[in-house]
Amino acid sequence: EGYARHLQESGKADSYIKTELAGIRYMHRHIPNTRFELMDGQEQNKKLDLGATPNITDVDRKWSLKELGDMQVIACRNGRSDIARFIEVVFYTGMRLDEAASCRRSDFERAARDGILHLVNTKGGRPRRIKLTAKAMDCIRISLEYCHRGEYVFCANKPVHVFKKEVQNFVYKYRTTIQDTDRKSNAQSCKSGERSPLTVHGLRHSNAQMTFDDVIAAGADEKEAKKITAEHLGHGRTSITNVYLGTRR
């Protein structure tokens, strides 16, 4: 428990802490004649407030523009302008964490030329094209100023998985200082229609809702708008689109 509390105080994400504790329990089970028994995993997660996020589809997970801006300010003050640029790119493109962290300069150069971001390293390995808005194009161009040819855009000097974890932990550590006051303190306490704490994945929810609104404003009906939003996000199920739309659907 002491180790878990230390990780929480260090700003580690819930998922990271649960993975660490699971590893400890695994090693403990395979060590013969141990002196102590460990607490049951589910019981320990509950005690530490690390329970799984409930399966509620109409919880509002999107970030507000103010929350995005405030998190960027904190990132820059802490010498992490790379994280500030990263979360803005995710907010305006709707990329998954892994997709954005894996982008190379050549990907962004092509996107800046033709207004389409071509993704290959995607969930399920299905390539997709993201049509960029003017704001997304601006974010792409700004990011290009901070990377060199042949490099990853955001993690030139470290492994992609390390940078991804840094972004997750940064958001987890500072979210309570900037998130709107009507958000719940943890995802486990969220009920239908309520707002969950900020997460990196919530940036994708923001983009999904902006995309849906833009398509509706362009004259599409709700069914067509959900289909286009699903393609934009890189999946084909309306049920998943509904999760991203949250309280908006």
Side-chain angles (χ1 to χ4, degrees):
E1 181 179 343
Y3 177 56
R5 297 296 185 191
H6 167 72
L7 293 177
Q8 288 179 318
E9 292 171 359
S10 300
K12 301 299 184 183
D14 286 4
S15 57
Y16 177 87
I17 298 173
K18 287 190 287 185
T19 299
E20 289 287 286
L21 297 180
I24 293 172
R25 286 192 293 271
Y26 175 83
M27 294 297 296
H28 185 269
R29 287 196 302 271
H30 289 79
I31 297 176
N33 304 318
T34 53
R35 293 181 58 190
F36 304 100
E37 290 187 8
L38 297 182
M39 184 183 298
D40 173 76
Q42 290 187 349
E43 182 180 349
Q44 186 175 53
N45 288 343
K46 183 176 181 180
K47 182 178 181 180
L48 295 168
D49 197 22
L50 297 174
T53 302
N55 185 26
I56 300 175
T57 61
D58 60 347
V59 167
D60 188 1
R61 297 177 173 86
K62 74 176 184 298
W63 293 45
S64 68
L65 275 172
K66 182 179 184 303
E67 289 171 325
L68 173 66
D70 288 347
M71 186 66 80
Q72 289 182 283
V73 169
I74 290 178
C76 290
R77 286 176 178 171
N78 282 273
R80 297 306 306 264
S81 59
D82 55 337
I83 291 181
R85 294 191 301 274
F86 181 84
I87 61 176
E88 186 175 39
V89 164
V90 174
F91 184 90
Y92 284 108
T93 64
M95 283 190 284
R96 296 181 176 92
L97 172 63
D98 187 62
E99 293 170 344
S102 300
C103 281
R104 292 185 176 275
R105 180 183 172 89
S106 57
D107 300 320
F108 274 28
E109 286 177 332
R110 183 180 180 185
R113 287 195 304 268
D114 60 22
I116 302 291
L117 181 58
H118 298 262
L119 299 178
V120 177
N121 183 37
T122 63
K123 186 176 181 179
R126 294 174 295 179
R128 85 173 186 277
R129 294 155 32 109
I130 296 178
K131 185 176 181 180
L132 302 175
T133 62
K135 182 61 179 178
M137 289 282 285
D138 288 342
C139 295
I140 294 290
R141 293 190 181 103
I142 291 173
S143 295
L144 282 171
E145 298 175 7
Y146 295 88
C147 62
H148 300 95
R149 292 190 181 279
E151 292 182 344
Y152 288 110
V153 176
F154 297 104
C155 40
N157 301 314
K158 64 187 67 175
V160 170
H161 73 275
V162 172
F163 177 74
K164 287 163 52 181
K165 186 59 64 177
E166 288 178 349
V167 175
Q168 289 175 315
N169 289 337
F170 189 91
V171 170
Y172 179 84
K173 181 177 182 178
Y174 291 105
R175 65 187 183 184
T176 56
T177 64
I178 61 95
Q179 64 187 13
D180 295 338
T181 56
D182 63 337
R183 288 189 182 276
K184 291 295 182 179
S185 60
N186 60 74
Q188 290 72 38
S189 64
C190 279
K191 299 178 182 179
S192 177
E194 294 182 329
R195 302 181 73 194
S196 70
L198 295 179
T199 64
V200 178
H201 193 67
L203 296 164
R204 194 163 139 85
H205 284 249
S206 303
N207 184 263
Q209 295 187 30
M210 290 189 293
T211 300
F212 179 81
D213 288 344
D214 288 346
V215 176
I216 289 290
D221 60 25
E222 183 174 325
K223 183 178 179 179
E224 180 66 14
K226 286 184 178 181
K227 178 182 177 182
I228 293 174
T229 301
E231 293 172 350
H232 172 79
L233 294 173
H235 64 78
R237 291 179 292 166
T238 301
S239 58
I240 301 299
T241 304
N242 286 337
V243 173
Y244 281 98
L245 295 180
T247 56
R248 291 292 321 283
R249 61 192 174 91

